[in-house]
Amino acid sequence: MKILYIAPASPFPAHFGGAMRCAAVLAALGQCGSVELIVVADEPGQRARAWLAARGATLWATPQRGALPRAARIVRGAATGRSIPALRLAEGRLGEKLRGEILARRPDVVVLGDTFLGEAAPALRDVTPMLVVDNFNVESVLWKNVASVTRTPAARALYSLLATNTDALERRVLPLADRVWTASGEDAAWFSRTLALPRVDVVPNVLPGRAPLAPSTSSEILLSGFFEYPPNEDAALALIGVSQELARRTVGHSITLVGRGPTRRMRTAAFATPAVAIAGEVESMEPWLERCGIFAAPLRAGSGTKFKLLQAMLAGRALVTTPVGASGLEIEHGRHGLVCEYADFASAVAQLLRDPALRERLAAEAHRHVTTRFGQARLDDAVRRSLGVP
């Protein structure tokens, strides 16, 4: 079987959720046949370029081209009802370029690696025997949720527009695919119910297996993420509020926020909260997971499954999150972690801080759960079944 994989990010270095997904899907496709890779993404770094070149991959860089073109794209999206990220791809004539590549390469399967790459589907439907669209999330639902936690009217209006126009994109292009992939059963049910798609397969987010870190008795609480993304900023601000509540209860603790793009609101709130530190972007999460005792993610918006939670559980750290954070991860409250609404979040964190035995038990079960249910073999099996490969 000859497969052409159109990825929305370089699979290397796998230092954020999208790249991790691409790396895992690429590995699974390699179990099914010969794979040719085209990466359609922002300008990658030198290491990524070298990795792609060494593997004979094709790179189509899509630079943002500054604030004015982005503003013009937003205006066109508003005027035409087209999804703004997909418009960026349409401007680069993605469908026509891919059609030419498919006619030249003659693959048996074409995998478009995210919802917005589905913009190319109408141009490809008649030139490939099997067209697959992979979806990290139900993007229209995700952006609607993002709008609900965005703190400025202008940003809320923009994300609401993105949600509406992405819903139109999903309805226009996903029915053209022979297979639609999504990361969780909840998202698959939404696609089947809302769009009446005949073939939706769960291809879960996974991580390579590893031994857990040594048990930790630390009272440090960790949250990681790209904080310019509104749900992560919202979770960080919520966790700073948890710190203030724990201080009122005289519960000893510290909180560290690790990741790119800490916002002005986060810095202001953290400056006024002595137990909170902002580390910013780091080379590796490993040292930060090693030193913390609890990973806390009070997420109120999102879709799909969250790599940051999978990483923490695989590392053997006790987890506290919300039902939104736990979605798609098959987490059993009280067994693999504590799952609660934000109103109860401070109490759940305090419970773990005061009960080292519970923390150690949850951490061990979390590691076992991820290793058993979210390893690469599960994704490999899902991809083989979807493509009809024995």
Side-chain angles (χ1 to χ4, degrees), residues 186 299 304-306 309 319 321-331 339:
E186 290 90 336
L299 291 159
T305 57
K306 320 303 182 291
L309 273 66
L319 172 70
T321 191
T322 58
V324 169
S327 177
L329 294 177
E330 304 168 19
I331 294 173
V339 181

Side-chain angles (χ1 to χ4, degrees), residues 68-202:
L68 285 177
R70 288 199 298 273
R73 198 176 298 123
I74 291 169
V75 171
R76 283 197 299 277
T80 63
R82 298 286 294 278
S83 177
I84 297 158
L87 269 176
R88 181 180 171 199
L89 299 171
E91 289 168 356
R93 304 170 70 88
L94 177 67
E96 294 176 30
K97 290 172 68 176
L98 280 178
R99 185 182 178 89
E101 292 289 334
I102 291 167
L103 289 170
R105 302 186 192 212
R106 297 292 181 182
D108 302 299
V109 179
V110 174
V111 179
L112 298 174
D114 74 1
T115 306
F116 300 109
L117 289 170
E119 176 69 25
L124 310 183
R125 181 54 268 163
D126 65 337
V127 294
T128 179
M130 183 184 294
L131 179 64
V132 178
V133 180
D134 187 16
N135 299 269
F136 291 7
N137 311 281
V138 180
E139 295 288 347
S140 59
V141 172
L142 171 63
W143 295 115
K144 181 179 179 181
N145 290 341
V146 168
S148 73
V149 300
T150 299
R151 295 169 183 265
T152 65
R156 193 156 48 247
L158 175 60
Y159 287 121
S160 295
L161 172 65
L162 179 55
T164 299
N165 291 1
T166 301
D167 178 79
L169 173 72
E170 290 166 345
R171 293 174 185 277
R172 179 168 59 88
V173 305
L174 293 184
L176 302 177
D178 299 292
R179 307 281 190 276
V180 170
W181 292 351
T182 191
S184 73
E186 290 90 336
D187 286 356
W190 190 94
F191 280 125
S192 297
R193 179 179 66 252
T194 307
L195 303 186
L197 300 176
R199 183 67 186 265
V200 183
D201 296 326
V202 177

Side-chain angles (χ1 to χ4, degrees), residues 354-377:
R354 290 168 170 158
D355 191 342
L358 173 62
R359 192 191 319 178
E360 187 171 344
R361 177 173 62 79
L362 292 177
E365 286 292 332
H367 177 267
R368 188 176 299 112
H369 178 63
V370 173
T371 302
T372 303
R373 299 291 297 160
F374 293 93
Q376 180 70 38

